[in-house]
Amino acid sequence: MKDPARELTELEQDALQEIMNIGFGSAAADLAEIINLHVILSVPHIAVLESHEVINFINQEIPDTTDMSMITQFFSGKLNGGSFLVFPHGEGRKLLKIFDGEMSLIGDNYDIDLLEKETLVEIGNIIIGACVGKIAEMLGDVVTYAPPRFFGQDQIHETLHSVVQSSDSFAILFKTVFDFEQYNVSGYLFLVSQYSIMPWLKQAIAEFLGPHA
Amino acid sequence: MHEYRQIFETINLGLVTLDRDLKVTGWNRWMELHSGISAADVVGCQVCETFPDLSRSSFLRIVKGVLSFGNYASYSQKLHKFLFPMRNPHGSHGQLPQMQQNCTVGPLRNEQREIVGVYITVQDVTDFVIYEEKLATMAKTDGLTGIYNRRYLDQRLQEELERSRRHGNSVSILLLDIDHFKKINDTYGHLSGDYALRGFAAELRKNLRSIDILGRYGGEEFCCILPETPLDQAHSLAERCRAQIAATPLCCIDRQLTVTASIGVAGQLPDDTADSLIRRADYALYQAKHLGRNRVCCLTAPREMVDA
């Protein structure tokens, strides 16, 4: 049986899609303007899924995580949940170019995997901050973040499972593909939230729609 | 608030707050202590003027990001070594003059939830960095002789073979074995044997170039990877090592011992793996032993190998 309180109506789903489009657009513009990071964020895909469906969905999108790196960051506010930034392993290396000119500090005795990890954490959390922050802002909320965490390869599935399963049985999933133009790097951003935000979310969407609805 | 103030001042962590113009608004005692700059002197100043190093784009990128997006950012030691240049306060100052730092940056909001500034935490991780370096060195060193261990040799040989496939410069290797080493142990005791191994490694190292990778392969057997070295050069290098070893007495506790070495040399062939290259060097070493020891044998093609 479907519980209407657990579902987004078509209108609400469209509105949320719109909010995400505007939010990601302005996040990308800010990233370019403020920190000179040019990112293309694809039109996000939104779905309200049960937890096992979330896992299936992510499995379908990324069938093989054995060669992936993931940054997770949890956020809390009225909008709360987790964000997962997933890159193919090795792609993060290209982002090291961002630190061009500062790499001399590091010297030659470094571990490239370690640097990739640190770069992904540093850059990833700015992207997450921009995207999540914008959506929250458009929904009239301000979120705070927990420190970012890095997971490599075989740790990814386990982490996703434990996160999705511990959150209450429903999840609202947002997926976008992003592209760093300058560095030829792309990956996925998933935001997973809990069913418990639904009443607030419905109301925030109604406020966004305002007199048009 | 009074309690928070006490925490701010006494916590074992550097705490700094900046306003939107990057002027310092807070500077705790930890920062005073380690930077040598008092809060009175720095509060109200542009942080990049007091610390010109902070105008690095990576720091500004993070702060601008936090001011715009309100995210929680990290500035890691692994990537940046440190944020605020401060003296390493530990005994390891000679080894690492600057304090190594892991920093985080987060937003500060006013009552209207607008971002009015940022806070920075500065954690001193110098000790961890020193331990890490020590562990990394230990993991690739042979405890007795101080040269590389087997594990590191295996790893480097793999890397050098890959590198040479990319750049076309051939790799050669030497396998060296101390002749009649068992006799030293049996005659003078194991401690003397240990000294002999140490002296042998030191003597070898003197005769090698800085790019050569010398390690203890096991027991009294040593291996040397010679990057960008064709077989003929490797052969003359081996011959020089052999002659030098035979001519130089090693100090073993209360006596001087002269040892000789047998050396097998092999040069890389197009389809070589680490295993096949080592196997040829090992076969050459076997030949050197077989022909009477204290000599160098060189093997080029696999077909020269007959079943031993």
Side-chain angles (χ1 to χ4, degrees):
Chain A
M1 286 304 273
K2 286 198 168 177
D3 176 355
R6 295 193 151 211
E7 295 284 323
L8 288 175
T9 64
E10 216 166 293
L11 178 66
E12 285 167 336
Q13 199 140 351
D14 286 351
L16 192 56
Q17 181 84 52
E18 183 66 17
I19 290 170
M20 302 282 287
N21 292 353
I22 301 171
F24 281 9
S26 103
D30 281 359
L31 285 168
E33 189 195 320
I34 297 162
I35 58 171
N36 197 27
L37 194 63
H38 296 269
V39 186
I40 301 173
L41 294 159
S42 73
V43 174
H45 173 92
I46 299 171
V48 180
L49 302 169
E50 294 197 39
S51 60
H52 69 271
E53 293 176 312
V54 174
I55 299 283
N56 288 345
F57 179 84
I58 293 175
N59 282 353
Q60 256 170 31
E61 291 293 319
I62 310 173
D64 184 11
T65 59
T66 50
D67 218 19
M68 293 283 179
S69 309
M70 177 172 83
I71 311 294
T72 69
Q73 197 162 16
F74 290 90
F75 49 91
S76 53
K78 288 173 195 136
L79 174 66
N80 69 52
S83 45
F84 306 89
L85 200 56
V86 186
F87 295 86
H89 178 73
E91 287 280 275
R93 250 161 246 199
K94 299 181 189 162
L95 289 178
L96 278 170
K97 286 189 219 135
I98 290 177
F99 302 108
D100 255 2
E102 296 168 39
M103 293 297 286
S104 53
L105 266 173
I106 293 166
D108 13 284
N109 202 4
Y110 59 80
D111 175 347
I112 185 81
D113 280 341
L114 191 71
L115 290 188
E116 176 178 350
K117 170 185 156 178
E118 297 295 332
T119 306
L120 289 180
V121 170
E122 193 168 307
I123 301 302
N125 111 70
I126 298 179
I127 296 170
I128 290 173
C131 295
V132 175
K134 283 294 168 190
I135 298 163
E137 188 185 315
M138 296 194 61
L139 293 167
D141 188 24
V142 170
V143 294
T144 52
Y145 302 88
R149 298 266 175 269
F150 177 89
F151 299 92
Q153 301 161 341
D154 46 340
Q155 304 165 332
I156 292 181
H157 260 281
E158 208 181 305
T159 310
L160 282 173
H161 270 272
S162 70
V163 167
V164 173
Q165 250 138 31
S166 65
S167 60
D168 61 20
S169 72
F170 274 77
I172 301 167
L173 177 101
F174 311 89
K175 175 213 132 194
T176 184
V177 179
F178 63 89
D179 245 304
F180 292 102
E181 292 174 279
Q182 303 125 293
Y183 305 102
N184 189 26
V185 175
S186 50
Y188 297 90
L189 173 66
F190 298 98
L191 303 180
V192 177
S193 190
Q194 293 94 343
Y195 169 67
S196 56
I197 73 160
M198 199 61 108
W200 165 80
L201 185 63
K202 280 173 170 284
Q203 198 193 332
I205 291 172
E207 278 162 30
F208 170 80
L209 289 171
H212 306 294
Chain B
M1 267 319 178
H2 184 66
E3 281 175 6
Y4 287 168
R5 186 78 213 169
Q6 289 178 44
I7 297 171
F8 180 80
E9 291 299 356
T10 55
I11 196 167
N12 183 20
L13 195 67
L15 291 173
V16 177
T17 57
L18 305 177
D19 66 12
R20 292 197 72 98
D21 302 321
L22 308 190
K23 284 206 182 96
V24 178
T25 51
W27 189 259
N28 76 346
R29 284 238 281 277
W30 192 96
M31 288 301 292
E32 290 186 322
L33 181 71
H34 291 287
S35 69
I37 300 172
S38 70
D41 286 340
V42 75
V43 168
C45 296
Q46 246 278 340
V47 74
C48 298
E49 276 169 26
T50 315
F51 294 94
D53 287 6
L54 264 60
S55 37
R56 281 191 292 264
S57 59
S58 56
F59 172 69
L60 294 180
R61 180 171 53 232
I62 282 181
V63 172
K64 281 181 191 167
V66 172
L67 284 171
S68 325
F69 311 127
N71 57 324
Y72 174 102
S74 55
Y75 192 86
S76 82
Q77 187 277 332
K78 295 280 183 312
L79 274 180
H80 307 285
K81 302 296 177 205
F82 53 85
L83 177 58
F84 291 96
M86 298 194 279
R87 188 179 190 274
N88 171 2
H90 309 279
S92 55
H93 177 260
Q95 192 180 343
L96 257 181
Q98 303 275 21
M99 179 203 287
Q100 303 295 299
Q101 300 158 8
N102 264 348
C103 301
T104 65
V105 184
L108 291 171
R109 295 174 189 272
N110 63 10
E111 301 284 318
Q112 287 75 47
R113 313 217 67 182
E114 298 153 345
I115 301 170
V116 290
V118 299
Y119 68 84
I120 304 171
T121 68
V122 184
Q123 186 194 1
D124 174 6
V125 293
T126 314
D127 276 347
F128 299 107
V129 172
I130 300 266
Y131 291 139
E132 229 172 54
E133 279 177 12
K134 209 182 268 177
L135 277 176
T137 311
M138 273 167 66
K140 59 183 185 185
T141 309
D142 173 59
L144 177 65
T145 57
I147 59 178
Y148 292 121
N149 60 15
R150 171 70 184 268
R151 207 178 100 101
Y152 185 74
L153 274 177
D154 287 344
Q155 179 201 329
R156 281 300 299 272
L157 183 57
Q158 207 76 44
E159 287 170 8
E160 288 304 328
L161 287 175
E162 275 161 31
R163 202 195 310 270
S164 88
R165 263 193 283 276
R166 283 199 303 273
H167 303 293
N169 304 315
S170 58
V171 177
S172 296
I173 62 167
L174 314 182
L175 267 190
L176 311 94
D177 190 276
I178 304 178
D179 296 328
H180 302 299
F181 181 73
K182 198 176 172 310
K183 260 191 214 160
I184 299 177
N185 275 339
D186 292 348
T187 317
Y188 307 106
H190 283 86
L191 194 59
S192 294
D194 285 352
Y195 273 86
L197 286 170
R198 230 179 264 166
F200 182 80
E203 196 50 43
L204 268 182
R205 196 146 57 171
K206 274 188 223 160
N207 287 284
L208 295 168
R209 305 160 300 180
S210 58
I211 57 158
D212 299 333
I213 303 146
L214 174 66
R216 185 163 168 212
Y217 199 66
E220 70 274 21
E221 217 171 295
F222 295 78
C223 176
C224 186
I225 304 168
L226 310 170
E228 299 180 25
T229 311
L231 189 63
D232 54 332
Q233 275 179 37
H235 188 243
S236 30
L237 188 69
E239 186 50 45
R240 192 166 74 227
C241 290
R242 187 208 56 80
Q244 206 59 40
I245 290 288
T248 317
L250 307 173
C251 283
C252 297
I253 318 179
D254 48 356
R255 61 175 63 81
Q256 304 251 310
L257 294 176
T258 303
V259 300
T260 60
S262 301
I263 306 178
V265 188
Q268 184 188 8
L269 297 172
D271 293 325
D272 254 336
T273 60
D275 281 352
S276 63
L277 184 60
I278 295 239
R279 206 177 315 129
R280 277 205 311 286
D282 200 30
Y283 187 76
L285 173 61
Y286 166 80
Q287 280 188 322
K289 291 271 182 200
H290 191 69
L291 293 170
R293 299 187 166 81
N294 189 21
R295 70 189 64 223
V296 175
C297 275
C298 211
L299 208 64
T300 38
R303 64 172 176 277
E304 289 178 37
M305 279 168 70
V306 277
D307 286 332

